[in-house]
Amino acid sequence: MNMSSQPFSQFEKFFISLIDRTMDDYTNKELAPLAHFTEKDSKWILEVDLPMVNKDGIDITLTDNHIVVTAKLEKTYCVSKHNCMTEFNYFKKVTLLPTGIDKEKISAKFNNGILSIYMPKIATGKNIRIE
Amino acid sequence: MILQTDNNKPKKLEKTAKLPSMLFVGIPGPGLIGILALNYVIHSLKMDIVEEIEHSDLSNIIFIDNGELYGPVRIYKKNAFHAVISDVPIDSVLAGDFTESIIDFSKKNKIDVIVFLSGIHTADRNLENLKTYGLVTDEKVDKVLYENEIPKFLSGMIAGPDATILTKLKNSPVPTIVLYTECNLFFPDPEAAVHTIKTISRILKTDIDITEFKKQIDFLRLQGRQLMEDTLTIFNPEKAKPAVPAPQIYK
């Protein structure tokens, strides 16, 4: 089938699959970052992808059962959907904490726009004797 | 915002031996490498849409631009180079039919080499020194790797839709090169896609200016979130793990 050339020639359209298909919270104007949990031998690692964010703009809060990451964008991110423009200034991610972690020893690192939160597993407990 | 694209004009390098006709394939996969890189190459080389690949299971999405309808899997052309791009993830079931369509198209259009673009998860990868590895299905195209200084993918395991696609391509009469760039499996990785673009640029002997792409890295990471999530849903590395351990001979 022959079609007209260059239908998506503008740079902003070159990635047409990414248009208007976001999972963000339009009511609270918060972007939902991608996140991934990995279980290692002695810890859990939560990685959160935070492009367009500075280390100083990240806030991590621990509640009884959740870890909340809020991050301020360096620039306002505008999304036009159904002729309505929405401005986003923050990322927000609320994640359920894994069980059996040592909350006092949770640490975090931010590198190349990826926030890594390390949650060590509780290593103390009842000794089991080998018979 | 409409960005100036004049800087993206490809500059021809010195003419060397005639290049084989090539078909580049980019679909959503690890780090969205294939689709990020190939979309930019299509944009930079100003390739024209020549055909679409249609499938009943792909028909639940359509793109509209200037009042024209476009399917999610399109074929572009510029001189002897073709590019197949899919804007939707291809699952393992669809992967077979998708690859057969590509092989049929290649035979009809006398394509000498298929180049499949993908990413390979590398934990703690060094952004300063990312690598693109090559895999060939026919030793006739080994020289493309050698001439372009692409190290060979020597050992490892590939699972999910990529494995289905590679199995079909391995058994096809059209030689295939697979380019795997080290990337983050779980997040869109345009920085890794830069390396794939550079490799395509070397293979095509055409200077593709990546300045505009580099400026948009954060934007692409933001925009790619939903597609990445959709891709991981069908890619599901946990399910893709083999049910039985690999025989000792392959370890």
Side-chain angles (χ1 to χ4, degrees):
Chain A
M1 176 172 61
N2 282 322
M3 307 182 86
S4 64
S5 64
Q6 296 297 311
F8 309 112
S9 53
Q10 296 165 7
F11 186 94
E12 62 174 2
K13 289 191 196 170
F14 91 83
F15 208 155
I16 63 164
S17 54
L18 305 183
I19 295 171
D20 281 354
R21 293 175 64 225
T22 52
M23 59 228 170
D24 304 316
D25 183 345
Y26 279 75
T27 312
N28 294 312
K29 298 183 179 177
E30 289 161 346
L31 295 174
L34 288 175
H36 177 73
F37 252 121
T38 311
E39 186 179 9
K40 299 263 180 182
D41 289 342
S42 61
K43 58 181 173 283
W44 288 89
I45 304 170
L46 173 65
E47 286 187 308
V48 188
D49 196 29
L50 298 172
M52 239 184 263
V53 164
N54 234 318
K55 185 183 158 191
D56 298 337
I58 303 172
D59 187 54
I60 308 168
T61 314
L62 209 57
T63 69
D64 281 349
N65 298 314
H66 295 91
I67 191 156
V68 183
V69 175
T70 313
K72 190 175 188 331
L73 292 162
E74 286 179 305
K75 294 177 207 160
T76 300
Y77 178 67
C78 301
V79 178
S80 172
K81 208 170 187 177
H82 310 306
N83 293 327
C84 177
M85 184 72 82
T86 310
E87 291 187 354
F88 293 92
N89 287 299
Y90 287 91
F91 274 116
K92 189 171 183 182
K93 182 81 186 170
V94 182
T95 308
L96 192 67
L97 286 170
T99 52
I101 56 159
D102 190 341
K103 287 185 187 174
E104 299 301 315
K105 290 184 180 164
I106 293 178
S107 62
K109 200 172 77 177
F110 187 63
N111 203 9
N112 296 315
I114 296 176
L115 175 70
S116 304
I117 303 174
Y118 302 92
M119 306 175 195
K121 294 176 185 174
I122 294 170
T124 54
K126 187 183 160 192
N127 266 336
I128 297 173
R129 245 180 49 195
I130 304 166
E131 290 176 16
Chain B
M1 180 175 60
I2 299 168
L3 298 170
Q4 288 293 323
T5 57
D6 291 352
N7 293 338
N8 295 327
K9 279 182 184 170
K11 293 172 217 158
K12 288 270 177 191
L13 295 179
E14 278 179 45
K15 279 210 166 181
T16 51
K18 194 189 168 203
L19 286 168
S21 60
M22 290 184 181
L23 172 68
F24 289 84
V25 181
I27 63 171
L32 301 182
I33 299 301
I35 185 168
L36 283 170
L38 197 52
N39 259 312
Y40 189 72
V41 171
I42 289 166
H43 164 77
S44 296
L45 298 182
K46 298 185 176 8
M47 297 177 82
D48 297 326
I49 290 188
V50 289
E51 213 167 300
E52 286 184 12
I53 293 177
E54 290 172 358
H55 193 284
S56 55
D57 293 341
L58 281 172
S59 59
N60 62 352
I61 191 162
I62 199 125
F63 298 99
I64 301 151
D65 188 65
N66 277 337
E68 286 200 64
L69 305 176
Y70 297 94
V73 185
R74 301 176 302 280
I75 305 177
Y76 292 79
K77 185 179 190 295
K78 176 89 178 189
N79 303 328
F81 310 122
H82 289 79
V84 180
I85 196 109
S86 172
D87 286 320
V88 290
I90 305 286
D91 64 25
S92 292
V93 179
L94 264 178
D97 288 351
F98 172 76
T99 316
E100 275 173 20
S101 299
I102 286 170
I103 294 165
D104 284 348
F105 178 88
S106 301
K107 285 181 194 166
K108 279 181 202 155
N109 291 276
K110 298 185 170 56
I111 300 291
D112 297 316
V113 188
I114 295 171
V115 184
F116 184 72
L117 311 170
S118 193
I120 189 148
H121 180 58
T122 311
D124 304 321
R125 71 209 198 292
N126 177 6
L127 279 178
E128 305 301 314
N129 190 27
L130 290 176
K131 286 190 173 67
T132 296
Y133 297 95
L135 192 63
V136 295
T137 62
D138 188 320
E139 60 183 22
K140 277 188 283 188
V141 288
D142 245 349
K143 66 174 184 186
V144 177
L145 299 188
Y146 179 75
E147 285 169 2
N148 294 289
E149 297 174 345
I150 302 165
K152 248 190 157 178
F153 188 138
L154 289 175
S155 61
M157 190 174 72
I158 293 148
D162 274 22
T164 311
I165 292 168
L166 285 192
T167 305
K168 289 264 182 195
L169 290 172
K170 182 171 74 81
N171 297 322
S172 96
V174 189
T176 298
I177 297 169
V178 189
L179 297 178
Y180 282 110
T181 300
E182 293 177 331
C183 71
N184 187 316
L185 173 65
F186 305 103
F187 304 143
D189 197 343
E191 295 199 46
V194 166
H195 286 259
T196 304
I197 297 168
K198 284 180 181 171
T199 307
I200 295 171
S201 176
R202 287 207 302 275
I203 292 173
L204 292 181
K205 314 270 185 263
T206 300
D207 183 15
I208 298 169
D209 188 343
I210 50 169
T211 315
E212 290 304 321
F213 188 88
K214 281 185 162 178
K215 279 184 197 166
Q216 301 290 330
I217 279 178
D218 278 346
F219 171 77
L220 292 170
R221 282 172 66 182
L222 270 171
Q223 287 281 79
R225 288 170 297 145
Q226 185 65 59
L227 183 59
M228 188 76 251
E229 192 141 291
D230 294 347
T231 304
L232 288 172
T233 304
I234 66 117
F235 198 71
N236 201 335
E238 286 308 308
K239 281 188 184 167
K241 279 180 184 170
V244 289
Q248 198 61 36
I249 190 171
Y250 297 116
K251 287 185 178 171

